Amino acid sequence: MPYDPTKMADWQISEEAEKNMPTPDDWRDRLGLEKDEVIPVGRLCRLNFMKIMERLKDKPDGKYIEVTAITPTPLGEGKSTTSLGLMEGLGKRGVNVGGCLRQPSGGPTMNIKGTAAGGGNALLIPMTEFSMGLTGDINNIMNAHNLAMVALTARMQHERNYTDEQLERLTKMRRLDIDPTRVEMGWIIDFCAQALRNIVIGLGGRYDGYTMQSRFGIAVSSEIMAILSIVRDLADMRERMANITVAFDKRGNPVTTGDLEVAGAMTAFMVESINPTLCSTAEYQPCMVHAGPFANIAVGQSSIIGDRVGLKLFDYHVTESGFAADIGFEKFWNVKCRYSGLKPHVSVLTTTIRALKMHGGGPKVVAGLPLPEEYTKENVELVEKGIPNMLHMINVIRKSGMNPVVCINAFHTDTKDEIEAVRKAAEAAGARCALSEHWLKGGEGALELADAVIDACNEQSEFKFLYPLEMKLRDRVEMIAKEVYGADGVAWTPEAEAKAKMLESDPKYQDFATMMVKTHLSLSHDPSLKGVPKGWVLPIRDVLIYSGAKFLCPMAGTISLMPGTSSNPAFRRIDVDVKTGKVMGLF
Amino acid sequence: MPYDPTKMADWQISEEAEKNMPTPDDWRDRLGLEKDEVIPVGRLCRLNFMKIMERLKDKPDGKYIEVTAITPTPLGEGKSTTSLGLMEGLGKRGVNVGGCLRQPSGGPTMNIKGTAAGGGNALLIPMTEFSMGLTGDINNIMNAHNLAMVALTARMQHERNYTDEQLERLTKMRRLDIDPTRVEMGWIIDFCAQALRNIVIGLGGRYDGYTMQSRFGIAVSSEIMAILSIVRDLADMRERMANITVAFDKRGNPVTTGDLEVAGAMTAFMVESINPTLCSTAEYQPCMVHAGPFANIAVGQSSIIGDRVGLKLFDYHVTESGFAADIGFEKFWNVKCRYSGLKPHVSVLTTTIRALKMHGGGPKVVAGLPLPEEYTKENVELVEKGIPNMLHMINVIRKSGMNPVVCINAFHTDTKDEIEAVRKAAEAAGARCALSEHWLKGGEGALELADAVIDACNEQSEFKFLYPLEMKLRDRVEMIAKEVYGADGVAWTPEAEAKAKMLESDPKYQDFATMMVKTHLSLSHDPSLKGVPKGWVLPIRDVLIYSGAKFLCPMAGTISLMPGTSSNPAFRRIDVDVKTGKVMGLF
């Protein structure tokens, strides 16, 4: 320790680190947990959060640290890596630290970006379980979600085939009279399955379902994942599970999972998943994993439950919000913290020389292809030209009342002058700045970051939301577009505007959170616009209704809820050692 | 103990019995297992079969008992119940007994038939975990299977969009040139989702997949479930996983999961699932659960791995083959035992007065509707008229060289004269016969059955296959149709016959097993024909190629790989107690 990540792949580092990984019994002793608060699942365990919260309800919370990033390249800029490095660095300082990250989606794991276990010495272990479904939460979400679609489509078939009298006699059901052109919900699968993005279902005869257009989204974009991120407890989950809008009826009224009488069975699939799973950093700090990624098309936050447990168990609790500060942090700030009532102490802004060079005008970065030379050789000018993206994100975080710590997530190709340029700019903007070499050196490489974070946690800050809940939907979107994304305004399609007006005029949507769906690859809706785009308006084409989560989700630009599998996907390189059962090739 | 099943629902009995259920540590002590042979998963555990088999390889096998049934009503006639009752009865006799059952599918659990945990006092516990996904095997199969479809459809899109030169440069892939009209594989989901039975996928533009017809089957019909049922070890699984035929290319050559370079990643999803999960009977006999149900559309056998482990751990090992003896037992006999090399000692033929009355001409039994009076009041004549179905099944089992034990699975509405009629007929046919009241009384009610089984196990029998592997596909199907189903012959559609001829002439399919796809609701292909249908031919409309499992699957009649959700599905009655997290309403 540390391992040499220039010679070992991540899965190999994980395999080595796993040899001394704490067992569920070890964790119980170390964290002072009671026997029935720890539920072993193979080498991992779930934490029974209701029991832990009940026992520790009077204990004061620890420090609450959020990790976000500047606008990333398609490769990601190491937010998970920085979160894990920070836990390891705080661990080296002797602090009682832990965290909560998000479970990776099978989509990126099997496609280009790989899993989200961090990297090098700042790694979440065991990497195989983490990457290949963990303790089953996404599978449980998939079953709960698709059961609602089974209930919906079977109901539409039976209502078409039977008279009111037959429906009543056979099933004691009233006719829901669902409008097949206004089905809000699709199916889900946890892969990048572009072939299922737009489909026609129910072909055949009278007993082959109901013929209509439909779609699959990626599992982590499911409303049930959103619900898992924000619920308070099982009672809250059960209630939200019945309120999901699956469609509208022919008179324009919402049809919910409750109307389909499927919410209880859906919740039954989620009973285990409400408990966070406990994993470990490569240096053996405790790190929970709960809820899912993709802050572009989902809420993309580690769960409120995970953070509440972490703040009781740890003096410093690190959590992660997906992608860049314009989307991940904005949702952490205005959605997650509003629901949880928790106030973060500091936000860490992950920055890389690579991403700054891209924002400064460097050539296109394409996942799966070699990096152009500009990114591997010194070019201070490109870095300096890219710095406005970082300054914009510092400014976004400041609007929440916190002063961010900029973390330069070091790559071995970064030069001293490139790093100095970033540090100078961050400090000139009044932010703390720390170079961190956790990828190469683990916690020893993250001491500067750990110290900056401890320092920032002791600073007084006044956390405040961007907008009050009383603000109308379109006004909120305009405020987010202007204040967070830097747009000049918002352009609604006629359909989206009509839907927005309907939602604004219906009292039941007034206290819903606004959960933006927008690319993470630009401050704007257009992934090709880097740096800080100027002189543009944000186009909104639809508003998804997540009435279980209580989210209204404006869809910006052409972003889809189902990514595509590339021509050179990661699954080609994943295999199993059949003698030991070990999974190889994860990254 | 026993509980009163006339007053308690199955999930309530399970909840009570769970209070004294052995923990993973208890099982380790009781079964003499080593620490690393038991992998805890919540209240359950997986058994590391490779370690156990290596340690016990020289220990002689126990007695091998198979449980099958006569042609059932749509409600099922209690094969799982009888298997569990038999374990409990043998347990009461002080015998070291255990078993291996199949994991239920979410399809029936959420639809009409309910879960397959047995019933009353002959129950598999804990019922919630068992019914709601167990330790994740079906989810893992779903992910492995659908990843192959993602690989296939993404490949078809990329091959359409790129020239050979681009494919080579971008991805180092050769063109597979898949024929979109000859895609063999569909997607899977573990519900009765008739709306996904026939679909069109890949609508949209250039990056939205490949436009073609496609389909979803129920997860348990997946070839990967078939592979799980029959594999020897992880190396065997990895090899089979690469041999699955996903489609044919435009020159007529098979395209496999190996060609798509996805078999390693698929296997990675299955690493945990190769280990059977250990559950318990309501009287605390050890019972593994491994592989899946549906012997009509799948192999429907508990796994060979489970049986091999059980025969080492127990003196009497009970296993289950799906549905009636014409399909479940036929596959146990000619497919599973051929692959395993294991020889069963006895087969138990589960029989109910209800099913015999149906075969004798009783009114239609419809799941979800009240039973007609004929089934709840004494009617010896109907029973006697139905007995030929039982005699046919006795005769089928005899052809394997075993003399079956007929188990009359008692219902509280059965009368003494009805039972005597069955006993007389079974004994006249030379079979042992036992009345068993395990539903009402648990093991105490199954002592007669346990004694008959012990007795039969000590009898010499000479187990032999119905046909040699050298026999050609169409001859085998004809032999099964005549000798097992009682048909006059087989009628192939021109397409099916052409496919059969192609398969017969290609040397690589010569040692493949024949895995019939046929309704379980009749000896014939027509579910409405009860008793022992005479004067009919078996229509074959297609032959599925499962080249990973090494199965050829002739499809008889109109049976579909995707059942439908009814108008009064079970999910309506399933819910969660939000205070305790307990799932209610499973049956």
Side-chain angles (χ1 to χ4, degrees):
Chain A
M1 287 288 290
Y3 305 101
D4 184 351
T6 64
K7 298 206 175 117
M8 292 169 78
D10 287 345
W11 64 269
Q12 291 166 315
I13 293 176
S14 182
E15 203 175 305
E16 282 304 307
E18 285 161 23
K19 292 176 181 168
N20 298 307
M21 185 173 69
T23 65
D25 283 346
D26 294 338
W27 285 125
R28 199 172 56 212
D29 293 346
R30 229 178 99 176
L31 301 177
L33 297 168
E34 311 274 332
K35 182 149 181 63
D36 62 356
E37 291 170 356
V38 176
I39 305 155
V41 184
R43 298 192 288 180
L44 306 175
C45 52
R46 287 190 186 271
L47 299 181
N48 187 321
F49 92 96
M50 289 214 251
K51 289 192 172 146
I52 295 172
M53 290 308 294
E54 178 57 30
R55 182 170 58 83
L56 298 179
K57 61 179 182 292
D58 298 326
K59 186 172 183 276
D61 281 357
K63 302 290 187 186
Y64 193 20
I65 304 154
E66 188 270 349
V67 177
T68 184
I70 64 168
T71 302
T73 71
L75 310 175
E77 302 319 305
K79 214 165 5 44
S80 300
T81 311
T82 297
S83 301
L84 290 156
L86 174 58
M87 290 177 223
E88 292 175 348
L90 287 164
K92 283 275 181 234
R93 284 291 185 233
V95 165
N96 169 24
V97 61
C100 186
L101 300 185
R102 300 156 305 151
Q103 181 181 0
S105 158
T109 301
M110 292 297 151
N111 189 9
I112 290 193
K113 211 181 155 196
T115 180
N121 285 290
L123 198 66
L124 191 93
I125 63 168
M127 199 170 164
T128 296
E129 283 91 330
F130 178 69
S131 310
M132 302 296 299
L134 202 70
T135 46
D137 294 344
I138 291 178
N139 290 328
N140 291 341
I141 288 170
M142 199 152 37
N143 286 323
H145 182 119
N146 287 335
L147 182 62
M149 289 302 293
V150 167
L152 172 71
T153 51
R155 182 73 171 246
M156 291 172 78
Q157 171 194 305
H158 297 306
E159 290 197 9
R160 181 197 58 202
N161 291 352
Y162 299 119
T163 63
D164 287 356
E165 184 277 323
Q166 286 171 317
L167 279 179
E168 166 64 27
R169 182 165 46 82
L170 289 171
T171 70
K172 308 220 182 313
M173 279 179 189
R174 67 183 172 89
R175 183 174 294 278
L176 292 175
D177 215 16
I178 292 157
D179 182 345
T181 70
R182 295 191 68 194
V183 173
E184 288 279 313
M185 200 172 178
W187 311 78
I188 58 166
I189 186 174
D190 196 38
F191 293 117
C192 298
Q194 64 265 49
L196 297 179
R197 199 177 278 152
N198 307 301
I199 62 177
V200 173
I201 64 172
L203 299 174
R206 185 174 169 81
Y207 300 107
D208 295 313
Y210 192 99
T211 312
M212 63 178 177
Q213 294 182 50
S214 193
R215 64 171 192 275
F216 273 75
I218 193 157
V220 289
S221 73
S222 164
E223 180 169 354
I224 299 172
M225 179 62 93
I227 290 174
L228 183 64
S229 306
I230 55 143
V231 282
R232 199 176 52 244
D233 54 27
L234 201 52
D236 188 22
M237 179 180 274
R238 176 65 182 81
E239 191 183 325
R240 290 175 185 274
M241 207 67 98
N243 290 334
I244 296 172
T245 301
V246 294
F248 287 88
D249 70 18
K250 287 178 181 156
R251 285 167 310 167
N253 301 314
V255 176
T256 65
T257 36
D259 295 327
L260 294 171
E261 298 173 282
V262 71
M266 291 168 70
T267 311
F269 278 108
M270 295 298 295
V271 168
E272 299 297 325
S273 287
I274 202 164
N275 291 316
T277 297
L278 186 59
C279 295
S280 178
T281 73
E283 296 186 1
Y284 313 119
Q285 282 75 37
C287 183
M288 287 171 282
V289 179
H290 208 211
F294 285 15
N296 49 351
I297 59 177
V299 66
Q301 308 287 329
S302 47
S303 76
I304 287 177
I305 285 175
D307 287 354
R308 283 172 66 212
V309 170
L311 288 167
K312 291 298 179 198
L313 293 180
F314 315 128
D315 296 332
Y316 287 79
H317 174 74
V318 179
T319 196
E320 190 190 13
S321 68
F323 294 130
D326 57 330
I327 47 172
F329 176 78
E330 191 277 309
K331 292 172 189 176
F332 173 77
W333 169 25
N334 292 300
V335 179
K336 185 177 170 188
C337 287
R338 201 183 311 249
Y339 276 115
S340 72
L342 299 170
K343 286 189 177 21
H345 292 83
V346 66
S347 173
V348 174
L349 184 67
T350 308
T351 306
T352 63
I353 301 295
R354 176 173 75 189
L356 291 175
K357 283 176 171 174
M358 176 189 72
H359 292 302
K364 197 171 172 184
V365 176
V366 180
L369 292 186
L371 266 185
E373 189 176 89
E374 284 80 350
Y375 295 99
T376 52
K377 293 208 169 147
E378 178 169 286
N379 192 329
V380 178
E381 195 191 336
L382 270 187
V383 173
E384 282 175 340
K385 282 192 182 157
I387 280 173
N389 183 278
M390 176 183 81
L391 296 178
H392 183 95
M393 297 304 184
I394 291 174
N395 195 31
V396 166
I397 295 168
R398 283 247 174 82
K399 291 182 186 182
S400 75
M402 289 190 290
N403 190 19
V405 172
V406 172
C407 167
I408 306 171
N409 177 22
F411 283 45
H412 64 284
T413 48
D414 299 347
T415 71
K416 198 160 164 284
D417 286 352
E418 289 173 338
I419 290 163
E420 273 319 299
V422 180
R423 191 188 289 271
K424 219 174 84 184
E427 288 174 353
R432 287 178 179 81
C433 182
L435 176 69
S436 198
E437 298 182 286
H438 39 261
W439 182 82
L440 189 64
K441 301 178 183 169
E444 283 295 341
L447 293 175
E448 188 186 338
L449 175 63
D451 292 342
V453 164
I454 292 173
D455 200 32
C457 282
N458 292 322
E459 190 176 84
Q460 202 62 30
S461 71
E462 229 172 282
F463 185 71
K464 56 182 187 291
F465 301 123
L466 180 65
Y467 53 84
L469 265 193
E470 294 69 38
M471 190 180 274
K472 288 223 175 268
L473 173 63
R474 281 172 299 168
D475 296 337
R476 290 191 208 178
V477 175
E478 181 152 335
M479 179 166 258
I480 293 168
K482 288 181 173 171
E483 297 285 321
V484 179
Y485 306 159
D488 290 346
V490 181
W492 297 74
T493 64
E495 297 78 9
E497 184 153 43
K499 201 163 177 182
K501 282 183 182 165
M502 179 275 279
L503 294 165
E504 286 172 2
S505 67
D506 189 331
K508 72 169 160 294
Y509 301 114
Q510 291 328 297
D511 62 342
F512 277 36
T514 301
M515 213 277 304
M516 299 298 296
V517 177
K518 181 184 83 70
T519 181
H520 58 294
L521 295 171
S522 169
L523 275 163
S524 78
H525 59 284
D526 177 350
S528 71
L529 301 178
K530 303 302 179 183
V532 183
K534 296 289 179 199
W536 58 281
V537 294
L538 183 77
I540 301 291
R541 72 169 202 273
D542 196 4
V543 182
L544 303 183
I545 301 167
Y546 282 8
S547 48
K550 292 198 165 188
F551 289 173
L552 296 177
C553 315
M555 307 266 290
T558 56
I559 192 163
S560 158
L561 298 186
M562 175 53 89
T565 286
S566 76
S567 54
N568 190 10
F571 63 68
R572 294 175 84 181
R573 290 167 288 278
I574 296 171
D575 212 329
V576 171
D577 178 333
V578 294
K579 290 221 168 58
T580 61
K582 286 197 197 289
V583 174
M584 306 173 296
L586 293 167
F587 70 101
Chain B
M1 286 288 293
Y3 305 102
D4 184 350
T6 64
K7 297 203 177 121
M8 291 167 79
D10 288 345
W11 64 269
Q12 291 167 314
I13 293 176
S14 182
E15 202 175 305
E16 282 305 307
E18 285 161 24
K19 291 176 182 167
N20 297 307
M21 184 173 70
T23 65
D25 283 347
D26 294 338
W27 286 125
R28 201 172 55 212
D29 293 346
R30 232 178 97 177
L31 302 176
L33 296 168
E34 312 273 333
K35 183 153 179 61
D36 61 356
E37 291 171 355
V38 176
I39 306 156
V41 184
R43 298 193 288 180
L44 306 175
C45 52
R46 287 191 186 271
L47 299 181
N48 187 322
F49 92 97
M50 291 215 248
K51 289 194 170 142
I52 295 172
M53 290 309 293
E54 178 56 30
R55 182 169 59 82
L56 298 179
K57 61 179 181 294
D58 299 325
K59 185 171 184 277
D61 281 357
K63 303 288 188 188
Y64 192 20
I65 305 154
E66 188 269 348
V67 177
T68 184
I70 64 167
T71 302
T73 71
L75 311 175
E77 302 319 306
K79 213 163 6 43
S80 301
T81 310
T82 298
S83 302
L84 290 156
L86 175 57
M87 291 177 223
E88 292 174 349
L90 287 165
K92 284 272 180 238
R93 284 291 185 232
V95 164
N96 169 23
V97 62
C100 186
L101 300 185
R102 300 156 305 150
Q103 181 182 359
S105 158
T109 301
M110 292 297 151
N111 190 9
I112 290 192
K113 211 182 154 194
T115 182
N121 285 290
L123 198 66
L124 191 93
I125 63 168
M127 200 169 162
T128 296
E129 284 91 330
F130 178 69
S131 310
M132 302 296 299
L134 202 70
T135 47
D137 294 345
I138 291 179
N139 290 329
N140 291 340
I141 287 169
M142 199 153 35
N143 285 323
H145 183 118
N146 288 335
L147 183 61
M149 289 303 292
V150 167
L152 172 72
T153 51
R155 182 74 168 244
M156 290 172 77
Q157 171 193 304
H158 296 307
E159 289 196 8
R160 180 197 60 202
N161 290 353
Y162 299 119
T163 64
D164 287 356
E165 184 276 324
Q166 286 171 317
L167 279 179
E168 166 63 26
R169 182 164 49 80
L170 289 171
T171 70
K172 308 222 181 312
M173 279 178 188
R174 68 185 171 89
R175 184 174 294 275
L176 292 176
D177 216 17
I178 291 156
D179 182 346
T181 70
R182 295 192 67 194
V183 173
E184 289 278 314
M185 199 170 178
W187 311 77
I188 59 167
I189 187 173
D190 197 38
F191 293 116
C192 298
Q194 63 266 51
L196 297 179
R197 199 177 276 152
N198 307 302
I199 61 176
V200 172
I201 64 171
L203 299 173
R206 185 174 169 79
Y207 300 108
D208 295 313
Y210 191 99
T211 312
M212 62 179 180
Q213 293 183 48
S214 192
R215 64 172 193 275
F216 274 75
I218 194 159
V220 289
S221 73
S222 164
E223 180 168 353
I224 300 173
M225 179 61 93
I227 290 174
L228 183 64
S229 305
I230 55 144
V231 281
R232 201 174 51 243
D233 53 28
L234 201 52
D236 188 21
M237 179 179 274
R238 176 65 182 80
E239 192 183 327
R240 290 175 186 274
M241 207 65 99
N243 290 334
I244 296 172
T245 300
V246 293
F248 286 89
D249 70 18
K250 287 178 183 157
R251 286 165 310 166
N253 301 312
V255 176
T256 65
T257 36
D259 295 327
L260 294 172
E261 299 173 281
V262 71
M266 291 167 72
T267 311
F269 277 107
M270 295 298 294
V271 168
E272 298 297 325
S273 287
I274 202 164
N275 291 315
T277 297
L278 186 60
C279 295
S280 177
T281 73
E283 296 186 1
Y284 313 120
Q285 281 76 37
C287 183
M288 287 171 283
V289 180
H290 207 211
F294 285 16
N296 48 353
I297 58 176
V299 65
Q301 308 288 329
S302 47
S303 75
I304 288 177
I305 285 176
D307 286 355
R308 285 173 65 212
V309 170
L311 289 167
K312 292 298 178 196
L313 293 179
F314 315 129
D315 296 332
Y316 286 78
H317 173 73
V318 179
T319 196
E320 190 191 11
S321 67
F323 293 130
D326 58 330
I327 47 170
F329 176 78
E330 192 277 307
K331 292 172 190 178
F332 173 77
W333 169 24
N334 293 301
V335 180
K336 185 179 172 188
C337 288
R338 200 181 314 248
Y339 274 115
S340 71
L342 298 170
K343 287 188 180 12
H345 292 83
V346 67
S347 174
V348 174
L349 184 68
T350 308
T351 306
T352 63
I353 301 295
R354 176 173 75 189
L356 291 176
K357 284 177 171 173
M358 176 189 72
H359 293 301
K364 195 169 173 186
V365 176
V366 180
L369 292 187
L371 267 183
E373 190 177 89
E374 284 81 351
Y375 295 99
T376 51
K377 293 207 169 151
E378 179 169 284
N379 192 329
V380 178
E381 193 191 338
L382 270 187
V383 174
E384 283 174 341
K385 282 193 182 156
I387 279 173
N389 184 278
M390 176 184 81
L391 297 177
H392 182 96
M393 297 304 185
I394 291 173
N395 195 32
V396 166
I397 295 168
R398 283 248 174 81
K399 292 184 186 182
S400 75
M402 289 191 291
N403 189 17
V405 172
V406 172
C407 168
I408 305 171
N409 178 21
F411 283 45
H412 65 283
T413 48
D414 300 346
T415 70
K416 200 162 163 280
D417 286 351
E418 289 173 336
I419 289 163
E420 273 320 298
V422 181
R423 191 189 288 273
K424 219 174 82 184
E427 287 173 355
R432 288 177 178 82
C433 183
L435 176 69
S436 198
E437 298 181 287
H438 39 260
W439 182 81
L440 189 64
K441 300 178 184 168
E444 283 294 343
L447 292 175
E448 188 186 340
L449 175 64
D451 292 341
V453 164
I454 291 173
D455 200 31
C457 282
N458 291 321
E459 190 176 85
Q460 202 62 29
S461 71
E462 230 173 279
F463 185 71
K464 55 181 189 289
F465 300 123
L466 179 66
Y467 53 84
L469 264 194
E470 293 70 38
M471 189 179 275
K472 288 223 174 268
L473 173 63
R474 281 172 299 168
D475 296 338
R476 291 191 206 177
V477 175
E478 182 152 336
M479 177 165 260
I480 293 168
K482 288 180 172 170
E483 297 284 322
V484 179
Y485 305 159
D488 290 343
V490 181
W492 296 75
T493 64
E495 297 78 12
E497 184 152 43
K499 201 163 176 181
K501 283 183 181 166
M502 180 277 279
L503 294 164
E504 287 173 1
S505 67
D506 189 331
K508 72 170 160 293
Y509 300 114
Q510 292 327 297
D511 63 341
F512 277 37
T514 301
M515 213 279 301
M516 300 298 295
V517 176
K518 182 185 82 71
T519 181
H520 58 292
L521 295 172
S522 169
L523 276 163
S524 78
H525 59 284
D526 178 351
S528 71
L529 301 178
K530 304 301 180 186
V532 183
K534 297 286 178 201
W536 59 282
V537 293
L538 182 76
I540 301 292
R541 71 170 203 272
D542 196 4
V543 183
L544 303 183
I545 301 169
Y546 281 9
S547 48
K550 291 198 165 191
F551 290 173
L552 297 177
C553 315
M555 307 266 290
T558 56
I559 191 163
S560 157
L561 298 185
M562 175 53 88
T565 286
S566 76
S567 54
N568 190 9
F571 63 69
R572 293 175 85 180
R573 290 168 288 277
I574 296 171
D575 212 331
V576 171
D577 178 333
V578 294
K579 289 221 169 56
T580 62
K582 288 198 199 285
V583 174
M584 306 173 294
L586 292 168
F587 71 101

